[in-house]
Each structure stands twice: as structure tokens, then as C-alpha cells.
Amino acid sequence: MATTSQREYDERTVRDMGGDRNVFAGRACDGCRALGSVMVIVVLIIVALTYYATVIVVYLPEARGEGEGATLARWALVAYHLAVFMLLWSYFACVLTEPGGVPKGWTPFPEDPEEAAAEAKKSNSEKRRRFCKKCSAWKPRRTHHCSVCKRCVLKMDHHCVWVANCVGAYNYKFFLQFLAYTFIATVLDAILLLSNFIDFFKDVEQSQARGSTGPDAKVDSVEGTELAVVFVTFIINVAFSASLLGFLVMHSNLILSNMSTIEMYEKKKILPWKYDLGKFKNFKQVFGENIFLWFFPVHSSSHLDQVQIFTGLADGETLDGVAYARACEAERSSLPAQSGSSNVAAMGRGNSKREKNRKGT
């Protein structure tokens, strides 16, 4: 556990190196972190609403009857429950799974003079030895700093408020499954509620045809509430399925290219993309070799071992506190002067000038 003086030293080092100086961005990231917990509750409320409309209001009463309609209702309930179960399983797997943090003390292997000369010509995103100014620590290739979580994440894709978590190397598969199963569940639910959605407008037309007065125009309050719930649920399903389709298409292209959302914007600078192994190998890098596990939000032990390789963790070692501090200090001393250091020096010169002016007066 870090002492108070050590934490103050690390924070001072980060500031001097130009990190975490945007106060407004920091407040926005804090807001995103707080919003994440609320969005988890919102997701559960939406699932509960669709469950009430589909199961309690529409299909459960039909399934209790007899005949062909009751049989179809039972099969519809089985399909719906299976889709919702996979949705919730993949969702909580994404929420609760550690996306991939850099192990404490991780340091890349030293580079020889020839490699150092070649690395000096590359951009920071291409280098094997990368140093995070905000964390004041080493980070593997394909690792990025999350301003919301305030740490570096292995093969970070993005920070998602819907799952209140970063999407990284260890939960990216679960995030994609969550998108896919949510899309399947919303499309299925929209199909199951389509006839009831049409009946809603038929009831409105019949009520208007009979007139707004008279005993036939009266609508049971419970039935009216149930129809309204079905109507709202159908609209939500259509809206979510349409928006999710775009995300699925985008992430499908990213998977087949072996690229994250962040790296998608870096690709314009780095062509050809060096991590592209071919569409099928790119897909297996995310979902693993076991075909059976492609459909479930779990990782095999062999796939977890592969994560160590393609995230760059295998390109380094974990050092103890003293050795790691020396490695970081050597990197800090080799870095060129940053804007934060320049600002500190400028503030120092300004203070000395003001002090001289006060003495002169």
C-alpha cells in the first residue's frame, strides 16, 4: 500500500509531466462514472418492463389455455426467456468482469540499440515500450488510459456507461454478446408484440367510431393500462433494435480487422494495420478457439493465456518496488520536457520576478 508521501510524489510527477490538467474533462469523467451506476438500474427497469408486457400481460394468460394458440404461446415464452437469460448473463458478465488492468510493476523488456533507433522513428501508439504520463507507469502495446476509470486498460475499446465499466481485453467478448443478444431479444419481442400493437390502434379506431360518449365508449382502466404498456414496450424494442444494428455492424467490422474503437482512429496514421491476422484469426482472438464457448460469456483457460500475448503483457516482466521505481525514473529522465514541466518552470520564473519587484519597491 502506497504511503501518503509516495502518493503525493506520484501525483506531483504526473502534474509535472503534463497529465490530468483539464479540470472540466475531469469533472465530465466523474459524471460518467456516477452515471454508470444509474444506467445499470435503467437497463434492469427496461428488461422488467418488457418482461411484464410480454409475459404477464400477453403470453402467460394465453399459455394457460388450450389449443393451438396456447401451444404457440408456450413456445414463444420459451424463446423469450432464453433470449432474456442470455442477455442478462452477458450483460452482468461485462459489468462485473475486470476489463484488463496493467499488473503492478509491469515493465517492458529492455531494447537493444538497433531496436531503440527503430522505435525512436515510430509514433507513440506504435512503440513497444510505452509510458503513461497520467499513471506515471509503463503500459503494454494496445493499452490506453481511461479518464473515467483513471487507469490504463489492456486493449481498451471504450468506456461504456451502459455497463458502468471499461470495455477491454477480458470483457470485449461479453460486450459483443450483450449487443447481439439484446438485438435478438428486442427483435423477437417486437415480433411477439406486433399483433397486440396493431390491436391497440384497432381499439382506438373502434372507440372513435362508437363516439366518445355512451356506455360502449367506456374502456376498462386495467385493460387500458396494459395496452399502453404493450404499446410503449413495442416502441422501445423497435428503437433499441434499430440502434443496436448499427453498433453490431460497426463492431463486426472491427473484430474482423482486429481493431478496437480507439485504434480505428489511429489506423489512418498506421497503414497497413500490423495486427490484422486475417478475418477468421481476428475473430478467434476475441472469441477463442472453442466453438462451443463462442455463444456463452465465459473464457477458456487457453484463451486467457492467449490474452497475455496479444495484449503485450508477454513482452515484459513484473518487477519489485525498487527495481520498478528505477525503471520508471529512467524513463522520466529520458522524456523530453513536457508542457506541464514548462508551465511549472514558467511559474517559478514568474514568482521570482514578482519577488524581486516587491523587494525593489
Side-chain angles (χ1 to χ4, degrees):
M1 186 174 180
T3 61
T4 304
S5 59
Q6 184 179 353
R7 286 197 299 269
E8 290 176 352
Y9 171 78
D10 292 338
E11 292 174 358
R12 185 172 64 255
T13 303
V14 171
R15 289 196 303 270
D16 292 347
M17 295 177 70
D20 289 336
R21 290 180 290 119
N22 193 328
V23 177
F24 297 102
R27 294 291 183 270
C29 293
D30 292 340
C32 289
R33 193 183 306 110
L35 181 62
S37 302
V38 176
M39 296 309 294
V40 172
I41 299 175
V42 170
V43 170
L44 295 179
I45 291 175
I46 293 174
V47 172
L49 175 66
T50 59
Y51 188 89
Y52 174 78
T54 306
V55 177
I56 306 300
V57 175
V58 179
Y59 281 92
L60 189 58
E62 293 183 16
R64 288 172 176 170
E66 297 181 358
E68 184 178 353
T71 302
L72 291 176
R74 295 188 191 104
W75 280 109
L77 287 175
V78 170
Y80 175 79
H81 279 89
L82 179 61
V84 171
F85 174 76
M86 295 305 298
L87 183 160
L88 292 175
W89 186 9
S90 57
Y91 178 70
F92 282 106
C94 187
V95 171
L96 300 176
T97 299
E98 162 64 36
V102 181
K104 185 177 181 181
W106 184 88
T107 307
F109 293 126
E111 53 190 5
D112 54 47
E114 293 183 0
E115 183 184 5
E119 290 285 305
K121 300 177 182 179
K122 298 179 181 179
S123 62
N124 185 53
S125 58
E126 291 182 285
K127 292 180 179 179
R128 182 179 67 85
R129 293 170 58 87
R130 304 173 63 203
F131 195 80
C132 179
K133 296 186 295 182
K134 295 183 179 180
C135 293
S136 190
W138 291 101
K139 61 181 180 180
R141 54 190 169 90
R142 311 192 75 178
T143 299
H144 294 84
H145 184 87
C146 176
S147 299
V148 179
C149 297
K150 298 186 184 301
R151 60 170 181 158
C152 286
V153 177
L154 299 173
K155 199 186 176 185
M156 177 181 173
D157 188 86
H158 67 289
H159 185 94
C160 181
V161 294
W162 287 96
V163 300
N165 197 2
C166 264
V167 177
Y170 289 100
N171 65 346
Y172 184 49
K173 171 187 174 181
F174 308 155
F175 175 75
L176 297 174
Q177 290 172 328
F178 168 60
L179 292 182
Y181 287 126
T182 304
F183 177 75
I184 293 172
T186 52
V187 171
L188 175 63
D189 202 24
I191 294 173
L192 294 177
L193 297 178
L194 179 60
S195 60
N196 299 86
F197 181 75
I198 296 174
D199 290 341
F200 175 84
F201 290 99
K202 288 183 178 179
D203 291 341
V204 172
E205 291 177 358
Q206 292 174 1
S207 178
Q208 291 176 347
R210 290 193 297 264
S212 58
T213 59
D216 295 335
K218 295 181 179 179
V219 179
D220 182 75
S221 60
V222 176
E223 181 181 358
T225 302
E226 292 178 348
L227 284 174
V229 170
V230 171
F231 176 83
V232 172
T233 303
F234 181 84
I235 296 298
I236 291 175
N237 284 321
V238 172
F240 270 93
S241 59
S243 60
L244 286 171
L245 180 60
F247 280 107
L248 282 172
V249 171
M250 184 189 78
H251 281 284
S252 297
N253 291 328
L254 291 176
I255 293 174
L256 299 179
S257 302
N258 199 349
M259 191 181 306
S260 67
T261 301
I262 295 176
E263 292 169 343
M264 177 174 61
Y265 297 99
E266 296 177 345
K267 185 183 177 183
K268 298 178 181 178
K269 304 176 183 179
I270 309 172
L271 291 173
W273 187 240
K274 61 181 180 180
Y275 299 117
D276 190 355
L277 307 174
K279 290 181 171 54
F280 189 52
K281 289 185 178 180
N282 294 338
F283 178 85
K284 289 194 295 183
Q285 192 175 97
V286 176
F287 283 83
E289 298 284 346
N290 192 327
I291 298 177
F292 178 73
L293 295 182
W294 287 357
F295 305 96
F296 300 98
V298 292
H299 289 303
S300 64
S301 57
S302 60
H303 184 239
L304 291 176
D305 294 336
Q306 290 295 318
V307 173
Q308 300 281 325
I309 299 175
F310 71 73
T311 56
L313 286 178
D315 297 335
E317 58 184 341
T318 303
L319 302 178
D320 59 19
V322 177
Y324 182 70
R326 290 175 180 172
C328 292
E329 191 64 34
E331 178 63 17
R332 293 190 192 104
S333 61
S334 65
L335 287 174
Q338 303 292 331
S339 58
S341 301
S342 302
N343 291 340
V344 172
M347 290 174 62
R349 290 193 297 268
N351 291 336
S352 62
K353 289 181 180 179
R354 285 193 293 271
E355 186 66 23
K356 289 181 180 178
N357 292 335
R358 281 197 296 269
K359 290 180 178 180
T361 56

